[in-house]
Amino acid sequence: MSCKLGFIFRKKNSNILSKFDPMNFIVTLTLQAIKKIYGEEIPESTVTLQETRKEFDGQVTIVTFPFTRFSKKSPEQTGADIGEYLVANSVDIEAYNVIKGFLNISLTDVFWLDQLDKQILKKDVGVLRRNGRKVMVEYSSPNTNKPLHLGHVRNNLLGYAVAELLNAAGYDVVKTNLVNDRGIHICKSMLAWQKFGNGETPSSSGLKGDKLVGNYYVRFDQEYKKEIASLMEKGRSEEEAKREAPLMMEAQTMLRKWEAGDTDVIKLWEMMNEWVYDGFEKTYKKMGVNFDKIYYESNTYLLGKDIIEEGISKGVFFKKDDNSVWIDLTGEGLDEKLVLRGDGTSVYITQDLGTAQLKYNDYHMDNSIYVVGNEQDYHFKVLFLILKKLGKSWAEGLYHLSYGMVDLPSGKMKSREGTVVDADDLMADMIDTARNRTEELGKVEGFSGPEKEALYEMIGLGALKYFLLKVEPKKRLLFDPNESIDFQGHTGPFIQYTHARIKSVLTKGGYKAEIIKAKPAILENTERDLIKEIVKFDDMVASAAENYSPSLIANYVYELSKLYNKFYHEVSIIKVEDIQLKNFRLNLSAATAQVIARGMKLLGIDVPERM
RNA sequence: GCCUCGGUAGCUCAGUUGGAUAGAGCAACGGUUUUCUAAACCGUGGGUCAGGGGUUCGAAUCCCUUCCGGGGUACCA
């Protein structure tokens, strides 16, 4: 086990300023000890601290193997030497024991109680010092031809949580969404609606706008396939049929008209996009995500040509005979890459180059995070490399937060095969499940109607969000629609339940935030374990932000909840006679609740007062 | 082919400046409630950390290699 102490994750040269490292004095003292005893000066990084494993005495362990090189003694003796020194030179360290190359040290209960006071019983847990830096997080970035699905849900939750984390870690954060609202795929739904829609609108059909438009995208594909089939019957090859199908040719005509600014096409496009935006807005709202700035590709797709010129004049790009523009990245182990078509029109990377510049001009941010699936790893590698070659100083701050696809047991989600897990449906299902479970358990006596609904939503979405966020971003995620997401064990509802449980104890115990002076003489193990965990929180926030990894927070909050439940089970809180002890335990409970709530908030998950 | 990311218990996952006997949850089995919320707690069983080699006092973790899976390698986005 031995989960490492939070601060060990910290990278050097970090931009994130933690308020303090509660264990850092141990490292300092150890360095002193080594200098004194062995006359050796060693870098801080050679002192490894880890949490003491449960089966041994102590809370913090120093690994002493590396010191034997110059101590010229056995690991046991080396540990004992240092242990003696630590106990003698710190009032906070009361004992040590040595097992092989591991020096386990016990900190005093007074120390732990101080830590609790210092770090937790204040308003701003998990809020690190402002670092004066600005970061942009782009996420979601949907196409306007179909509704959001489970893959988008992962993207949205990740992007939102990372933005929250960076904000907590001291950055100024700008959340952006780059909407892909143009192109051939959009024309397909437009055309299908025009041909087969009979004027259907969201209000006439009662359909959510994005769903309605999505239906026509599917319809296009169906009709298109029919045309292909009949052309092939007439003896065309598959490729010819695909190219010559009237629908496809019409869609391409429509795209050209759109680019030419044809009034009717633009009107249709605007109308249908509005429908989609209305739909997306509802989904985003339910999901609890939002943006500070929305970019539309219809406004940015022509950008980037200036950069192409710049690149040519700087000799970074070169032109081929057909006028197409390329960059040679073979020196970097990549390929030659097209950056502008021969006819002068943009490709994906052209507009991304332009958009990157636009974003920078707009915000002058120090860092810019793109939350985009790992299928685009190569694209972003190339994009960033090009910007660096162009000498853009800000290119160093770009980062592709690549995450794994969400797969079904049957493999990839495919809209054509109807295996897509729709975001709205999924959220609604989760809320239903929460409703059923909660009512079965009889947990909502005394709740008003709206309170119940709010609770079901909180739990259902909590389960879903936690399920998606607890997994490390870059790993692919398996989702089985037939197996509902759990509400027990390592889940969002478990953590929410723990929070509600604490709130209930606090209420029944008459807890008031002021009574913080009470302290027991001796801590129970469960109490010390809990304090130890709570004290790590700020460092966990720093690490999670640094690694763009909400899963670190998700797993931390789970660990904390488990420890609380153990504590809750093993000791009485409001029923102890000793008023001091009772108050202390209430404080500890309140502190735990505060960290749970704050940690979950960073993940975009709300926690209830009762459940 | 080449590039890239994964492979840890039956299933889903933790474990990353290399450290002790690799941990949780689910599923299975057994126990805990006249006492602060049992969506909880405690216990049992379950592992060739994909295979092999190397570096090291020490490897799930670093290096090499093989196998398996995902993704990319478009004048699509």
Side-chain angles (χ1 to χ4, degrees):
Chain A
M1 67 141 291
S2 74
C3 179
K4 300 202 172 161
L5 298 171
F7 74 91
I8 296 171
F9 293 116
R10 190 67 42 77
K11 288 180 205 150
K12 311 243 152 52
N13 308 320
S14 168
N15 291 313
I16 295 172
L17 316 164
S18 186
K19 275 176 291 196
F20 58 88
D21 285 336
M23 301 301 149
N24 211 27
F25 79 97
I26 298 175
V27 175
T28 310
L29 268 180
T30 304
L31 293 174
Q32 270 176 32
I34 287 167
K35 190 172 175 204
K36 197 103 174 194
I37 304 169
Y38 308 120
E40 199 78 21
E41 296 216 36
I42 58 170
E44 216 175 280
S45 60
T46 45
V47 181
T48 305
L49 298 191
Q50 60 188 56
E51 272 186 60
T52 305
R53 294 181 65 121
K54 283 179 208 146
E55 56 268 41
F56 306 113
D57 283 334
Q59 297 93 48
V60 180
T61 295
I62 303 168
V63 182
T64 58
F65 287 110
F67 310 148
T68 56
R69 192 170 42 81
F70 48 78
S71 75
K72 308 275 196 267
K73 294 180 183 168
S74 67
E76 288 82 356
Q77 188 56 49
T78 308
D81 289 348
I82 297 169
E84 284 300 336
Y85 183 92
L86 295 181
V87 171
N89 289 278
S90 170
V91 290
D92 296 321
I93 298 172
E94 62 180 0
Y96 74 90
N97 65 83
V98 179
I99 294 163
K100 292 189 279 183
F102 300 93
L103 169 59
N104 305 319
I105 64 181
S106 301
L107 294 151
T108 64
D109 287 344
V110 171
F111 170 82
W112 288 113
L113 289 162
D114 275 356
Q115 290 301 317
L116 183 66
D117 277 0
K118 242 193 260 175
Q119 176 139 340
I120 286 306
L121 293 172
K122 59 190 174 196
K123 288 282 171 283
D124 60 345
V125 269
V127 178
L128 309 189
R129 273 169 32 208
R130 299 277 98 197
N131 64 1
R133 295 174 70 89
K134 189 184 278 183
V135 61
M136 176 178 279
V137 181
E138 179 198 299
Y139 69 100
S140 200
S141 306
N143 292 348
T144 57
N145 62 336
K146 52 183 184 237
L148 303 177
H149 59 68
L150 180 54
H152 296 110
V153 178
R154 186 177 200 193
N155 179 302
N156 282 293
L157 298 177
L158 240 186
Y160 181 82
V162 165
E164 288 295 298
L165 276 169
L166 289 169
N167 182 49
Y171 284 88
D172 235 351
V173 179
V174 184
K175 288 178 275 193
T176 64
N177 187 357
L178 175 58
V179 179
N180 184 349
D181 60 345
R182 62 161 287 282
I184 190 72
H185 47 294
I186 314 294
C187 290
K188 289 178 183 173
S189 3
M190 284 161 63
L191 187 65
W193 182 84
Q194 215 174 37
K195 284 190 163 324
F196 314 110
N198 297 315
E200 188 184 22
T201 68
S203 52
S204 80
S205 62
L207 276 177
K208 213 161 149 278
D210 52 334
K211 298 287 195 302
L212 189 153
V213 172
N215 288 345
Y216 287 99
Y217 185 68
V218 172
R219 182 69 185 273
F220 177 94
D221 200 60
Q222 292 165 346
E223 300 293 335
Y224 176 46
K225 285 212 170 98
K226 283 186 210 163
E227 290 188 352
I228 294 172
S230 82
L231 282 170
M232 285 170 74
E233 269 174 38
K234 288 177 192 154
R236 299 291 205 294
S237 75
E238 190 178 345
E239 264 171 49
E240 284 168 343
K242 279 185 175 166
R243 205 173 335 117
E244 292 169 18
L247 268 175
M248 184 53 88
M249 293 177 69
E250 272 189 80
Q252 273 154 356
T253 304
M254 190 180 250
L255 180 60
R256 276 193 291 275
K257 282 186 175 175
W258 182 91
E259 298 203 356
D262 179 283
T263 324
D264 290 340
V265 172
I266 297 283
K267 266 178 95 173
L268 174 63
W269 173 74
E270 283 173 344
M271 178 179 77
M272 290 182 74
N273 269 350
E274 274 315 308
W275 295 347
V276 173
Y277 296 143
D278 282 350
F280 282 175
E281 195 47 45
K282 287 178 186 139
T283 307
Y284 286 146
K285 194 163 181 225
K286 194 75 157 179
M287 219 183 288
V289 303
N290 51 52
F291 306 94
D292 302 307
K293 167 78 179 176
I294 298 183
Y295 289 101
Y296 297 94
E297 281 194 15
S298 55
N299 293 326
T300 63
Y301 83 108
L302 293 174
L303 294 176
K305 303 207 182 165
D306 292 348
I307 294 195
I308 301 301
E309 287 306 317
E310 185 185 335
I312 292 172
S313 68
K314 285 184 177 168
V316 176
F317 301 150
F318 66 94
K319 234 175 212 184
K320 288 195 177 173
D321 292 341
D322 63 354
N323 257 338
S324 57
V325 181
W326 296 74
I327 184 167
D328 182 2
L329 297 172
T330 48
E332 279 77 14
L334 305 174
D335 307 314
E336 280 191 356
K337 184 87 187 164
L338 177 97
V339 294
L340 192 71
R341 289 195 187 100
D343 62 6
T345 58
S346 302
V347 290
Y348 182 38
I349 202 150
T350 322
Q351 51 175 293
D352 265 5
L353 287 166
T355 309
Q357 182 71 58
L358 174 68
K359 285 170 160 182
Y360 183 73
N361 292 347
D362 284 350
Y363 290 98
H364 284 86
M365 59 280 190
D366 302 285
N367 298 83
S368 190
I369 318 291
Y370 294 77
V371 183
V372 180
N374 64 12
E375 60 203 345
Q376 296 197 33
D377 285 355
Y378 184 71
H379 172 73
F380 282 101
K381 209 167 170 179
V382 171
L383 178 69
F384 298 164
L385 189 54
I386 291 176
L387 288 165
K388 279 174 200 164
K389 280 180 168 275
L390 288 169
K392 304 291 180 190
S393 59
W394 42 268
E396 290 300 327
L398 303 174
Y399 182 77
H400 173 207
L401 174 48
S402 163
Y403 62 90
M405 297 288 101
V406 183
D407 289 327
L408 306 174
S410 56
K412 267 188 112 159
M413 287 188 279
K414 297 205 173 94
S415 43
R416 279 171 274 120
E417 292 166 24
T419 54
V420 170
V421 178
D422 178 79
D424 297 316
D425 293 349
L426 178 58
M427 289 192 284
D429 283 354
M430 292 302 298
I431 293 167
D432 272 347
T433 310
R435 176 181 296 112
N436 295 336
R437 281 201 61 87
T438 307
E439 283 170 4
E440 273 168 31
L441 291 168
K443 292 278 191 176
V444 280
E445 281 162 40
F447 278 64
S448 73
E451 279 172 343
K452 282 186 200 173
E453 285 310 311
L455 180 66
Y456 302 150
E457 181 165 325
M458 210 184 276
I459 296 173
L461 293 181
L464 175 63
K465 291 179 180 184
Y466 193 87
F467 179 82
L468 294 173
L469 287 173
K470 76 173 181 188
V471 180
E472 196 189 336
K474 75 175 167 193
K475 290 204 174 174
R476 76 184 250 276
L477 205 101
L478 193 72
F479 178 82
D480 188 344
N482 300 319
E483 252 178 64
S484 58
I485 293 174
D486 279 325
F487 284 66
Q488 286 172 19
H490 189 179
T491 67
F494 169 83
I495 296 162
Q496 291 172 318
Y497 170 75
T498 307
H499 182 266
R501 201 178 212 191
I502 295 173
K503 287 297 174 156
S504 167
V505 181
L506 294 180
T507 307
K508 290 192 176 156
Y511 173 74
K512 295 210 177 49
E514 303 88 71
I515 47 167
I516 59 167
K517 289 292 161 238
K519 283 177 192 163
I522 302 172
L523 290 172
E524 299 287 334
N525 284 336
T526 53
E527 293 168 336
R528 198 180 300 106
D529 289 345
L530 198 48
I531 294 172
K532 233 165 60 183
E533 197 68 16
I534 288 170
V535 163
K536 282 198 277 191
F537 184 52
D538 279 10
D539 279 314
M540 291 307 303
V541 171
S543 306
E546 205 140 66
N547 296 298
Y548 308 118
S549 184
S551 67
L552 289 176
I553 295 293
N555 287 302
Y556 165 80
V557 175
Y558 171 63
E559 200 58 42
L560 178 64
S561 299
K562 268 204 303 190
L563 287 171
Y564 185 84
N565 279 311
K566 195 180 171 74
F567 159 76
Y568 179 94
H569 192 262
E570 289 188 8
V571 308
S572 292
I573 299 167
I574 63 183
K575 287 173 33 189
V576 293
E577 308 82 56
D578 182 345
I579 187 78
Q580 298 286 83
L581 186 57
K582 173 180 159 184
N583 284 342
F584 163 71
R585 287 179 179 163
L586 285 171
N587 282 330
L588 184 54
S589 299
T592 307
Q594 196 182 9
V595 172
I596 289 176
R598 173 72 180 151
M600 291 292 264
K601 192 78 194 156
L602 293 174
L603 303 178
I605 301 174
D606 291 321
V607 291
E609 298 293 304
R610 293 190 288 163
M611 75 181 266

